[in-house]
Amino acid sequence: MPEFDQDSQEQEDNKKAFVISLNSESLPEPSIAFRGLAFLLDYILVVLLATLIILQVILPLNPSFSLEALNEWLDAYLAWAESNSDTAAPILNDSAQSILLLITESFSIIFILYFVLCDTLFKGSSIGKKIFNLKTITLTPRNSIPIFHAGIRAISKTIILFYFFPILFLVAALTKRFHKSKQWGHDLISQTKVIDEYKLNQMLLKKVEGSL
């Protein structure tokens, strides 16, 4: 029994040594293609989920908003586009603007909540990331992403992609290219990093084999 306890203690010490030796710069990052595909899958899922929630929950709870005004404007705009007319394009009326604003704000909130839940409750693994063996981790001493950091990450991602695209997207890309951390802008300000779990497991396996 003492020998078994000693072996267990040595294995535990080795595990601790591996954790200490892996800094944020040595953690393997996924390719841009894999990360982009993972986000695309998540985006499609969020669009489907948001459409269902908006049509079945949000709009019925707001009977003063009607899709008819928006549909009428879309029909008028399509007719104008097909006619190749020199006249000005149809302008959104107040009703159409209100329903469009409600839909936009609702989608943004659902988008933020989805990624906050993935980064906190599901430990950094969204459905898209899970398929491609990717994971978002925190660079803080904590074991999981703090909800405040998850919120910052999701909100900044939403602002970058839907409100100030492509200007802020270019800024985020520049931090990835030139900042010493090599992180995207929203990862940098939220103290998080997306890693390739498969590559990480291979790295740890080589370290274990090298210590034997």
Side-chain angles (χ1 to χ4, degrees):
M1 289 300 293
E3 293 182 358
F4 177 78
D5 292 340
Q6 184 177 0
D7 292 339
S8 299
Q9 184 62 39
E10 290 178 355
Q11 292 177 1
E12 186 66 26
D13 291 340
N14 287 335
K15 290 180 181 179
K16 292 180 180 179
F18 296 148
V19 174
I20 294 172
S21 65
L22 291 177
N23 54 47
S24 60
E25 295 180 357
S26 65
L27 294 173
E29 296 184 56
S31 65
I32 295 179
F34 277 1
R35 188 165 178 179
L37 287 173
F39 174 76
L40 180 61
L41 290 177
D42 286 325
Y43 180 76
I44 293 173
L45 177 62
V46 172
V47 168
L48 295 176
L49 181 63
T51 301
L52 179 64
I53 294 175
I54 291 171
L55 293 179
Q56 299 298 324
V57 179
I58 295 176
L59 290 181
L61 291 176
N62 296 272
S64 60
F65 294 94
S66 173
L67 285 174
E68 292 182 4
L70 186 59
N71 290 332
E72 289 175 0
W73 175 81
L74 286 174
D75 291 338
Y77 184 86
L78 291 175
W80 171 83
E82 292 176 356
S83 66
N84 295 321
S85 175
D86 294 333
T87 60
I91 300 176
L92 279 169
N93 56 37
D94 292 340
S95 298
Q97 288 180 3
S98 297
I99 186 66
L100 191 60
L101 181 61
L102 176 65
I103 292 173
T104 302
E105 291 178 345
S106 300
F107 178 82
S108 297
I109 292 173
I110 294 170
F111 185 89
I112 290 170
L113 289 177
Y114 173 81
F115 284 102
V116 168
L117 290 175
C118 288
D119 286 343
T120 54
L121 294 182
F122 299 102
K123 302 184 184 302
S125 294
S126 65
I127 293 177
K129 287 188 176 72
K130 200 71 175 177
I131 292 175
F132 288 95
N133 288 320
L134 311 182
K135 186 175 184 179
T136 304
I137 63 170
T138 180
L139 298 181
T140 65
R142 301 188 181 186
N143 293 327
S144 59
I145 301 175
I147 189 169
F148 178 71
H149 290 179
I152 291 176
R153 187 174 190 274
I155 292 172
S156 60
K157 184 189 296 186
T158 304
I159 293 174
I160 289 170
L161 294 176
F162 303 125
Y163 290 92
F164 293 98
F165 185 88
I167 297 174
L168 288 186
F169 180 82
L170 292 176
V171 174
L174 287 174
T175 63
K176 170 68 175 174
R177 177 66 178 83
F178 296 106
H179 196 272
K180 62 181 181 180
S181 66
K182 300 302 179 182
Q183 295 171 257
W184 287 87
H186 59 287
D187 289 327
L188 183 64
I189 63 176
S190 61
Q191 299 183 56
T192 58
K193 185 173 185 176
V194 177
I195 62 170
D196 188 318
E197 284 196 288
Y198 176 78
K199 291 180 180 179
L200 179 61
N201 291 334
Q202 294 297 311
M203 179 188 299
L204 294 175
L205 181 60
K206 288 181 179 180
K207 286 182 174 292
V208 171
E209 292 176 346
S211 66
L212 297 178

